[in-house]
C-alpha cells in the first residue's frame, strides 16, 4: 500500500491538529493529486483504497461542520477516481476476458470491487444531509451520471438500469431540502437533476421503468412525512413535462448512445403502461393539501396524455372533487375530470350538484376564480340541460353578486347574460312579476340544483346591481333592462378584472364633457358690483 507521505512540510501544514483529533487524518490537495498521478503512471491501484477512505472521512466530516478545504479535497478525489476508472474501463481492466490470465482476473475482480465501493460512496454523499449545501454533492451527481454513460458504453453494452435505479432511489429518498408551500421540493440536487432529466428521453423512460416496485414498497414501510417528501421530489422532476413524441420518438435526444438502447424504449404502449403504474403509486401516498393542488394543476396536461388508461385516475379525481374542506382542490380537479368525461367516457352522476356546491362567497377571492368560470361556462354550454338546473346557477350567482367584490360582480353579470341567451326558457326569471308570492321561493340552502325552485323566482338582485356604487358595474347591469340584442359576451374580457384594473380604468378614463361638480362655478373669485354697489357674493361688501 502506498504511504500517505505526511513527512513533507507542505502536507503537515494542510492538515490542522483539530482535524487529526476528530477524524481520520485528511490528505492535502497536493497529496490527493499525487496519489492520483501514481495510479495513472505507476498503476498503484492500492491508492484507490486510500482515496476512497479519504472520501468517506470527508463525507462524515461535512455532516458535522463546514470545512471548505475538506470539500475541495473531496471534489478532487471524486474527479480523480472517476477519471482513473474511466481509463481502466476503456483499457478493458474493469471487465473479465478469456484473454486474461489468473493474476489479471484477480486484479479485475479487485478493481470491480473498488468500483462498487466508489459508487456506494457517491450515493452516500448524494443522500447525506451535509452541514451545508456543497458543490461536492453536485459533482458527485454529475460523476455518477457519467458512470451510467460509461457502463453503457464499456461493460454492459446496454442501459445500466440497476445503476440508474440506485441513483434514483438515493435521490428521491434523501432528506436534503424542504417541502415548499406549493408542495414541491427545494432540494438543490433534485432541481439540478430535473434540468438534465427534461432533455433526455432514455432517462425519462427508465425512471418509470425501474421505480414502480420501489414506490410501492416505500408506501408500506415509510412514514407519511417521508412519503410526502418523496412525492415532492418526484413531482419536482417531472412537472416540466416529458419528451414523449408519438410521431418522432426515435429522434429524441438520449443520454447514452442510441446504439446500446433496445427497441422497446421507443414503444409507446410500454412507456405509457410503466408511467401509469408509477403515477398511480405516488398518487396513493398520503398527500398534503398543497401537494394535492400541485398535482391537480398539472394533471390534465402533464400526466393524462401519457397514461395508457387515464380512467385509472377516476377514484383519485372523484375523491379530490368531493373534498369539502378546501374549495381550491375541487376547482383544480375540474380540468382533469372534464378531460376524462370528454375523451374517456367518465360518468359522474352528481357532477352538476357538486359544481353547484362550489358557488360560495369565497370563490370570488381565490386565485383560481378565472379557471373556474372558464370551465363552468363550458359545462353549462349544452342546450340540453334542464331549465331548472340552469336557473339555479343563474339565481345562485345573482345572489352571490349582492355580497361579492366589484371584480367578482364584473364576471357574474356577463356570465348570467350568456346563460340567459343560451337558455331562453330562463328568461321568465327576468319578467316574473307575480305579486301573490310571499317572499322569494328560491331555496338558497338546497344543495340539489334541480330542487331549488329558482325558475319560480325573479332576478331582483340584478335590478339592485343597477344602483351599484361602482359606475362601471351599474352601467353593465343595465343591460338586463334593455332588449337582448347582443349575441353574447366574450368572458375573457371580464375574467381577469381586479380592484387594481378597475381603478386603472377610472384613472385613465377620458371625459367627453366637463366633470360634474357639487357646487356652482364662477368666472372669478369676486364678481362685478351690482346696481346697489354690492358684490354678488354673499358676505362681501365695500
Amino acid at each position: 500500500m502506498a504511504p500517505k507521505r505526511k513527512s513533507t512540510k507542505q502536507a503537515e501544514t494542510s492538515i490542522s491538529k483539530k482535524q487529526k483529533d476528530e477524524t481520520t487524518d485528511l490528505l492535502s490537495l497536493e497529496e490527493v493529486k499525487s496519489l492520483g498521478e501514481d495510479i495513472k503512471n505507476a498503476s498503484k491501484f492500492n491508492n484507490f483504497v486510500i482515496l476512497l477512505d479519504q472520501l468517506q472521512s470527508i463525507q462524515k466530516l461535512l455532516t458535522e461542520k463546514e470545512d471548505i478545504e475538506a470539500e475541495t479535497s473531496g471534489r478532487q478525489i471524486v474527479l480523480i477516481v472517476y477519471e482513473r476508472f474511466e481509463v481502466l474501463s476503456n483499457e478493458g481492466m474493469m471487465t473479465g476476458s478469456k484473454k486474461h490470465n489468473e493474476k489479471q482476473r484477480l486484479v479485475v475482480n479487485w478493481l470491480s470491487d473498488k468500483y462498487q465501493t466508489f459508487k456506494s460512496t457517491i450515493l452516500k454523499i448524494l443522500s447525506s444531509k451535509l452541514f451545508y449545501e456543497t458543490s461536492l454533492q453536485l459533482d458527485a451527481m454529475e460523476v455518477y451520471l457519467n458512470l451510467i454513460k460509461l457502463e453503457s458504453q464499456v461493460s454492459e453494452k446496454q442501459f445500466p438500469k440497476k445503476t440508474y435505479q440506485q441513483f434514483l432511489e438515493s435521490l428521491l429518498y434523501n432528506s436534503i431540502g424542504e417541502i415548499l408551500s406549493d408542495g414541491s421540493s427545494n432540494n438543490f440536487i433534485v432541481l439540478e437533476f430535473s434540468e438534465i432529466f427534461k432533455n433526455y428521453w432514455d432517462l425519462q423512460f427508465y425512471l418509470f421503468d425501474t421505480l414502480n416496485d420501489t414506490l410501492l414498497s416505500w408506501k408500506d414501510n415509510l412514514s407519511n412525512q417521508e412519503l410526502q417528501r418523496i412525492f415532492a421530489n418526484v413531482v419536482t422532476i417531472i412537472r416540466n413535462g416529458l419528451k414523449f413524441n408519438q410521431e418522432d420518438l426515435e429522434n429524441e435526444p438520449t443520454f447514452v448512445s442510441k446504439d446500446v438502447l433496445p427497441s422497446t424504449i421507443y414503444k409507446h404502449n410500454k412507456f405509457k403502461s410503466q408511467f401509469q403504474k408509477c403515477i398511480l403509486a405516488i398518487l396513493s401516498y398520503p398527500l398534503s393539501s398543497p401537494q394535492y393542488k400541485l398535482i391537480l394543476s398539472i394533471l390534465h396536461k402533464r400526466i393524462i396524455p401519457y397514461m395508457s388508461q387515464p380512467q385509472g385516475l377516476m377514484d383519485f379525481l372523484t375523491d379530490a372533487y368531493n373534498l369539502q374542506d378546501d374549495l381550491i382542490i375541487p376547482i383544480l380537479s375540474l380540468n382533469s375530470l372534464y378531460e376524462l368525461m370528454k375523451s374517456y367516457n367518465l360518468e359522474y352522476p352528481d357532477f352538476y350538484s357538486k359544481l353547484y356546491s362550489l358557488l360560495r362567497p369565497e370563490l370570488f377571492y381565490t386565485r383560481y376564480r378565472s379557471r373556474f368560470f372558464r370551465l363552468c361556462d363550458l359545462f353549462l354550454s349544452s342546450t340540453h340541460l334542464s331549465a331548472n338546473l340552469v336557473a339555479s346557477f343563474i339565481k345562485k350567482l345573482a345572489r352571490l353578486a349582492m355580497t361579492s367584490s366589484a371584480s367578482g360582480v364584473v364576471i357574474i353579470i356577463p356570465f348570467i347574460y350568456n346563460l340567459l341567451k343560451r337558455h331562453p326558457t330562463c328568461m321568465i326569471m327576468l319578467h316574473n312579476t307575480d305579486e301573490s308570492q310571499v317572499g322569494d321561493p328560491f331555496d338558497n340552502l338546497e344543495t340539489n340544483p334541480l330542487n331549488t325552485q329558482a325558475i319560480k323566482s325573479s332576478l331582483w338582485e340584478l335590478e339592485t346591481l343597477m344602483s351599484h356604487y361602482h359606475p362601471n358595474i351599474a352601467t353593465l347591469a343595465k343591460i338586463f333592462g334593455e332588449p337582448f340584442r347582443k349575441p353574447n359576451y366574450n368572458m375573457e374580457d371580464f375574467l381577469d378584472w381586479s380592484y387594481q384594473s378597475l381603478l386603472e380604468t377610472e384613472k385613465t378614463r377620458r371625459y367627453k364633457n366637463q366633470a360634474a361638480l357639487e357646487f356652482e362655478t364662477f368666472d372669478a373669485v369676486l364678481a362685478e358690483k351690482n346696481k346697489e354697489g354690492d358684490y354678488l357674493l354673499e358676505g362681501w361688501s365695500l
Side-chain angles (χ1 to χ4, degrees), residues 428-453:
I428 190 175
M429 300 172 68
L430 284 176
H431 308 289
N432 191 349
T433 58
D434 187 0
E435 298 179 357
S436 63
Q437 294 182 358
V438 178
D440 194 333
F442 172 66
D443 187 355
N444 194 39
L445 301 179
E446 175 60 50
T447 58
N448 188 344
L450 295 175
N451 300 327
T452 61
Q453 304 297 317

Side-chain angles (χ1 to χ4, degrees), residues 245-310:
N245 185 343
Q246 294 194 19
E247 298 179 356
D248 196 18
L249 192 56
E250 290 80 0
N251 291 326
E252 293 290 356
T254 56
F255 187 71
V256 304
S257 174
K258 292 180 181 291
D259 298 335
V260 302
L261 295 173
S263 59
T264 55
I265 194 174
Y266 303 116
K267 292 183 177 179
H268 304 147
N269 292 337
K270 171 73 172 175
F271 170 75
K272 287 186 171 184
S273 176
Q274 296 302 102
F275 178 81
Q276 175 157 328
K277 290 179 182 178
C278 289
I279 291 300
L280 293 180
I282 64 168
L283 290 182
S284 66
Y285 285 6
L287 308 182
S288 64
S289 179
Q291 289 178 332
Y292 258 115
K293 298 172 187 176
L294 174 63
I295 194 66
L296 288 170
S297 64
I298 65 173
L299 201 62
H300 60 293
K301 289 185 178 180
R302 297 283 188 261
I303 293 178
I304 288 181
Y306 307 138
M307 297 182 70
S308 59
Q309 294 180 324

Side-chain angles (χ1 to χ4, degrees), residues 56 59-60 62-63 120-134 137 170 173-177 187-189:
Q56 291 172 358
Q59 181 267 331
K60 182 179 179 182
L62 293 178
T63 59
S120 300
T121 305
I122 292 293
L123 292 177
K124 194 171 183 180
I125 292 173
L126 280 175
S127 60
S128 297
K129 192 171 185 179
L130 303 186
F131 192 78
Y132 63 109
E133 294 183 358
T134 70
Q137 290 175 303
S170 176
Y173 182 71
N174 73 52
S175 57
I176 300 171
N187 185 327
F188 72 104
I189 305 176

